[in-house]
Amino acid sequence: MPATGRVPPARATPDNRSSRAHTFDAVVATSAALPWMTGPAFISLWQACGLAALGYRVAYLLPWLGERSQRRLWGDHRFPDFDAQVAWLEQEARDLAGLSLPECRPYRAVYCRRLGSVVPLQDVFRAAPPARCLIANEPEHLSWYPLSAGRSAIAAGRTIGLSMTDYDTYIRMAGLPMGGPLARHVSWLHGDAVRRRIDVPLSLSPALTLPGVEMAVERVTGVMPGYARAPAVTEADRGVYFLGALLWEKGLADLVEIVRRSALPVDVIGAGRDEAALRALALQRGADLRFKGPDRRFWTAIAPYRVMLNPSRSEVLCTATADALVAGRHVVLPDCPGNLPFRAYPNAHFYDDPEGAAVALHKAMATLPEIPEKARRDFDWMRACGRLAELGGLT
């Protein structure tokens, strides 16, 4: 069924999964979609396009936002209907990776500024067409709709859930009253949501756990091919950058302190709600941060940089860090569970405190990075999609 501007209502489905005809091999469902520059948006787009490139029949299930939500989330970048967003995504898929976009289907959603999230307004699991495998990106988030179907009503032979956000850490860092008990309660709810709907729960690193859920750590994501084609660092390349959303939860206070102690200028690539406060703090502390704005195709601008500094401790597995490693750059990171997978790569340097970060930063600046053969193999997107097909029982 072609994409339409009108969002179809959620469909009721029979309870006997074995009797359903599989319209698709895989349905990739996401809690976020481009042009919102967030991890699940890029990851889900790549999964849908990559599985289609491998020859599977794929549907991409993504949120459709009304005009008010689009304005709040995307600013001037808005679409009159779902067809227009699909046409834009088709061009993005070609530009980003040279891949074709599979069939797209919408579910109704709204952007909640207070939560900083897209919230479903219908049952995403019932909106998914019948398939051999349903791949749910952030399944706990997709379950926020209070009447979401349980496993017996999901029209899929197998369900995979890829959890990507450490909500527990975000809530504890937000400074909310009773943050600890609230974080534990939300974690319990999310664990229950995953247990009720997902056959194969996955995480990208040991940083994320949910109560009562055994999540295997699997490499089912990759890096945009442009990063693997980035020019090698030369002696003349001396730049340092931070790339990410400008939110305090991303370690921005540590970023300012590290830059102040290292006395090195750092370019900031990104935007977010805390940009003004970050600018003020950097000015107050004498940290040389240079704000460059967001860049969806940063691989085309990475040439002058030698090092990425990423102080965030809230990530499950930071895509921007993987991008830098694949591009053959040094990365300077805090020693925390979310960064554990990056210990496999010689261009990754770790620290425990801001003083250690300044030392690691100067050490990285003093040497040329090694050729990133292992990182490029490990973060190859088509290899990741092949593994996802195996886990989904598609091979």
Side-chain angles (χ1 to χ4, degrees):
M1 183 181 77
T4 62
R6 186 179 65 86
V7 179
R11 298 191 307 276
T13 55
D15 288 339
N16 184 2
R17 291 193 300 269
S18 63
S19 68
R20 299 169 186 164
H22 292 145
T23 306
F24 295 95
D25 293 313
V27 173
V28 176
T30 180
S31 60
L34 294 176
W36 192 13
M37 292 173 59
T38 188
F42 283 105
I43 288 170
S44 61
L45 178 66
W46 246 107
Q47 288 173 343
C49 294
L51 288 170
L54 291 174
Y56 297 109
R57 298 167 299 161
V58 179
Y60 186 30
L61 184 64
L62 60 150
W64 166 248
L65 303 175
E67 192 274 338
R68 184 177 181 184
S69 288
Q70 290 187 40
R71 184 174 67 253
R72 287 181 170 181
L73 189 58
W74 303 330
D76 293 334
H77 203 148
R78 298 199 291 273
F79 306 104
D81 54 35
F82 188 65
D83 285 336
Q85 185 175 7
V86 169
W88 183 86
L89 283 170
E90 287 175 338
Q91 187 61 51
E92 282 291 285
R94 286 193 293 269
D95 291 349
L96 293 174
L99 295 177
S100 297
L101 186 71
E103 180 176 329
C104 294
R105 298 197 179 190
Y107 66 86
R108 298 187 303 277
V110 64
Y111 175 66
C112 178
R113 180 177 291 171
R114 179 170 294 182
L115 294 174
S117 296
V118 170
V119 178
L121 294 179
Q122 72 177 95
D123 186 341
V124 179
F125 297 94
R126 289 188 188 274
R132 293 169 62 195
C133 178
L134 170 66
I135 300 162
N137 284 277
E138 298 198 302
E140 67 281 14
H141 190 149
L142 294 173
S143 302
W144 285 2
Y145 182 73
L147 302 179
S148 295
R151 180 66 184 95
S152 64
I154 299 174
R158 182 178 297 184
T159 57
I160 291 178
L162 178 58
S163 296
M164 290 180 270
T165 302
D166 187 353
Y167 291 101
D168 183 277
T169 296
Y170 273 98
I171 293 170
R172 292 176 188 273
M173 294 177 66
L176 299 172
M178 302 290 289
L182 177 61
R184 288 193 295 272
H185 182 61
V186 169
S187 292
W188 183 88
L189 290 173
H190 284 170
D192 181 65
V194 171
R195 288 195 305 273
R196 291 177 56 201
R197 298 174 179 89
I198 300 302
D199 301 325
V200 185
L202 302 178
S203 179
L204 298 176
S205 82
L208 181 59
T209 59
L210 290 174
V213 180
E214 293 185 11
M215 291 191 291
V217 176
E218 291 281 352
R219 185 64 52 77
V220 291
T221 62
V223 163
M224 293 296 174
Y227 285 104
R229 297 191 290 268
V233 174
T234 68
E235 287 292 348
D237 297 325
R238 310 292 297 177
V240 183
Y241 73 94
F242 163 83
L243 188 153
L246 301 187
L247 310 174
W248 285 124
E249 296 88 346
K250 301 293 186 180
L252 301 185
D254 286 347
L255 175 67
V256 170
E257 183 61 19
I258 293 166
V259 173
R260 185 189 70 82
R261 292 187 183 219
S262 68
L264 291 171
V266 173
D267 288 351
V268 176
I269 316 298
R273 67 165 188 260
D274 295 321
E275 180 175 345
L278 175 61
R279 286 176 179 267
L281 181 62
L283 183 62
Q284 175 189 347
R285 300 302 302 274
D288 192 359
L289 294 182
R290 303 173 180 183
F291 294 84
K292 303 294 185 179
D295 188 341
R296 271 205 319 275
R297 291 165 174 76
F298 184 63
W299 60 82
T300 64
I302 201 171
Y305 297 101
R306 178 176 297 211
V307 182
M308 177 194 180
L309 170 62
N310 187 1
S312 177
R313 296 176 182 268
S314 63
E315 310 295 334
V316 176
L317 185 78
C318 181
T319 303
T321 299
D323 293 342
L325 288 169
V326 168
R329 269 58 190 172
H330 289 298
V331 294
V332 174
L333 310 167
D335 193 354
C336 62
N339 288 331
L340 184 62
F342 298 126
R343 285 198 167 275
Y345 309 106
N347 292 331
H349 309 269
F350 297 87
Y351 64 85
D352 294 316
D353 52 38
E355 186 59 38
V359 172
L361 189 54
H362 280 285
K363 179 182 176 182
M365 289 292 288
T367 60
L368 291 176
E370 295 187 22
I371 298 173
E373 293 179 358
K374 186 175 189 302
R376 289 176 179 172
R377 181 177 67 251
D378 291 349
F379 288 99
D380 176 77
W381 249 119
M382 295 311 296
R383 182 184 176 119
C385 289
R387 179 57 180 153
L388 191 61
E390 292 176 7
L391 293 167
L394 301 182
T395 52

